[in-house]
Amino acid sequence: MRRTPIELAAVATAAVPGLTPTAVASAPDDPADFDSALLLDEEGKRWRVRAPKHPEASTRLETEFMILRAFAPAIRAELPFQVPHVAGQVRQGALSTFVYSNLAGTTRSIEELSTGNDTLAREIGTALAAVHDLPLSLVNNADLPSYTANEFRQRKLNELDQAATTGKIPPALLRRWEHALEDVTLWRFNPCVVHGDLHEDNLLVEGDSVTALTGWTDLRIGDPADDLAWLVASNEQGFVDSVLRHYKEARRETPDPHVLRRASLLAEFALAQYLVKALAASHTEMIAEAEQMLATLAEDIAVHGGQAISVEPLPAPATSVSAVPPVPSSSPQSEGTPQTASEGSDGTAPTSDMAPVTVPAVTVTPLPVAPVPAPDAQDQADTPKDADSTTNPLDSASTDTIAVVPAPKRETPEERNSRAE
């Protein structure tokens, strides 16, 4: 059941004694998992309420509460942005609603962010680097998930198998993703602390500054590319290049040269994960939307070649022979060779030596076929065909660019209210 901002305000007063809301508004959030609202109290302070819609989402909020407590004052002081504080919580049955002291700044769309200046790009890159440079002990001491590079790759392979069982993923995408996941060269990276759910709705901005990061429910040790995948939704290549350049400059450890490829792969694969989630929820509109985005992505890659997400070139798909070359009438026919549809009942060839041969629909004994020369290795390479490709700032020897991948649609408050009614 969806809870309105007014209802969330009432819950907040129970969670934080003395809180008296004077204004309330909807807040952007993951609509399938949470109801969220922003409150303004009589002293002008702002608060945020997040209420889970199901037990799994409630567990995520409880995990975030534990994570935020692990951010000791010394760690918070070193970060170039603010981290939320939990002001109170209320448990209603199996679900826990949390109230946070709200942070300065507002969210912006990826389009708004990507049209910002280089100062904002530097702020975003620096914030990403600060997350990835957090001490590993922050995650280990909180008993949060930790994955080696190979473990992370295996998890993605398992998720790909799950997505394939839906029967709704275009075969070309399945083949493309499987090849990238099996390309071990791509997965040689040093795991670090990652936010795990980073996107524009968890980034608060004021002017040209990043003021805070929110949504710390999936903190873990894993692939830094996880936190870069959301940038692929930007249509501004210059913005992406600038963010990644500043990210590289701010990191204490030099990022691996293939982080951009993995970020593009994870951005594409997020559409399959969105489909699996929609099917699990039996959400008809989300299922249709996911299928459409997957079909669009497959078509774009087929036409334009797509971003090269693998280090090793993707082999050309095997092509089936749809017709058998005609046999000259002078060629002797071996004993026991079945007649073709173009032969007479006595086994003689038609008067024209090059008459077309019709292949039976079931089984045909192969006829002599001239050897076909193997395709040149360059023709097999799955390289981008976009003439506007630019240099990957993380790899001076690379010419990769980020392909734009449609992000799963996030509902606006007005759309959610309309659908609820």
Side-chain angles (χ1 to χ4, degrees), residues 29-36 50-53 57-58 60-61 217:
D29 215 321
D30 298 326
D33 296 329
F34 305 104
D35 290 318
S36 184
R50 297 186 83 192
K53 292 184 175 181
S58 182
R60 287 176 59 194
L61 290 184
T217 58

Side-chain angles (χ1 to χ4, degrees), residues 46-314:
R46 301 193 303 175
W47 310 77
R48 188 182 187 191
V49 188
R50 297 186 83 192
K53 292 184 175 181
H54 49 80
E56 189 273 335
S58 182
T59 300
R60 287 176 59 194
L61 290 184
E62 291 169 359
T63 300
E64 182 184 41
F65 178 41
M66 177 182 64
I67 292 170
L68 294 177
R69 288 193 301 177
F71 278 92
I75 294 178
R76 290 175 180 262
E78 292 184 0
L79 294 173
F81 51 80
Q82 291 182 300
V83 176
H85 287 274
V86 175
Q89 68 178 104
V90 173
R91 190 165 186 86
Q92 298 172 298
L95 307 180
S96 293
T97 296
F98 286 81
V99 181
Y100 305 80
S101 53
N102 200 45
L103 303 168
T106 58
T107 59
R108 298 182 189 176
S109 68
I110 186 65
E111 291 79 15
E112 292 172 326
L113 291 174
S114 60
T115 56
N117 56 31
D118 188 68
T119 301
L120 179 57
R122 183 182 68 245
E123 286 275 310
I124 296 173
T126 302
L128 290 169
V131 173
H132 296 169
D133 284 335
L134 283 168
L136 301 181
S137 58
L138 178 69
V139 172
N140 293 327
N141 292 343
D143 198 26
L144 295 170
S146 177
Y147 305 106
T148 64
N150 189 58
E151 287 172 341
F152 183 82
R153 182 178 74 93
Q154 188 58 54
R155 281 176 59 86
K156 292 303 174 185
L157 279 168
N158 294 340
E159 292 173 5
L160 179 62
D161 290 341
Q162 182 184 16
T165 61
T166 66
K168 295 179 178 293
I169 309 295
L173 293 182
L174 288 175
R175 179 171 170 271
R176 171 180 169 87
W177 296 338
E178 182 178 25
H179 177 73
L181 287 167
E182 291 180 347
D183 185 354
V184 294
T185 304
L186 189 66
W187 302 94
R188 293 170 182 162
F189 63 87
N190 290 330
C192 64
V193 175
V194 295
H195 182 281
D197 189 32
L198 194 58
H199 49 76
E200 60 271 24
D201 287 346
N202 285 332
L203 191 75
L204 299 184
V205 176
E206 192 170 62
D208 294 329
S209 300
V210 172
T211 56
L213 292 186
T214 62
W216 296 85
T217 58
D218 296 309
L219 189 73
R220 57 181 177 265
I221 294 174
D223 187 354
D226 247 355
D227 289 344
L228 301 174
W230 67 284
L231 290 171
V232 177
S234 171
N235 287 318
E236 298 293 334
Q237 186 67 46
F239 164 75
V240 177
D241 291 345
S242 183
V243 169
L244 293 176
R245 184 180 70 255
H246 291 301
Y247 166 77
K248 178 182 177 181
E249 293 171 352
R251 281 295 308 271
R252 295 172 187 166
E253 176 183 303
T254 302
D256 71 277
H258 304 309
V259 65
L260 183 60
R261 291 176 183 262
R262 295 195 309 279
S264 297
L265 166 64
L266 295 174
E268 291 182 13
F269 189 57
L271 300 182
Q273 295 171 307
Y274 183 63
L275 173 64
V276 170
K277 188 173 185 178
L279 289 169
S282 299
H283 196 300
T284 305
E285 292 180 3
M286 286 175 60
I287 293 172
E289 181 184 41
E291 289 183 303
Q292 179 59 47
M293 289 190 294
L294 285 164
T296 300
L297 175 62
E299 181 179 355
D300 287 346
I301 291 174
V303 174
H304 303 292
Q307 164 70 15
I309 59 176
S310 305
V311 178
E312 292 295 327
L314 180 67

Side-chain angles (χ1 to χ4, degrees), residues 14 24 32 51 54 84 93 150-151 193 244 247 305 319 331 357 363 394 396 417:
V24 62
H54 49 80
N150 189 58
E151 287 172 341
V193 175
L244 293 176
Y247 166 77
T319 56
S331 299
V357 178
T363 304
L394 297 184
S396 58
N417 291 339

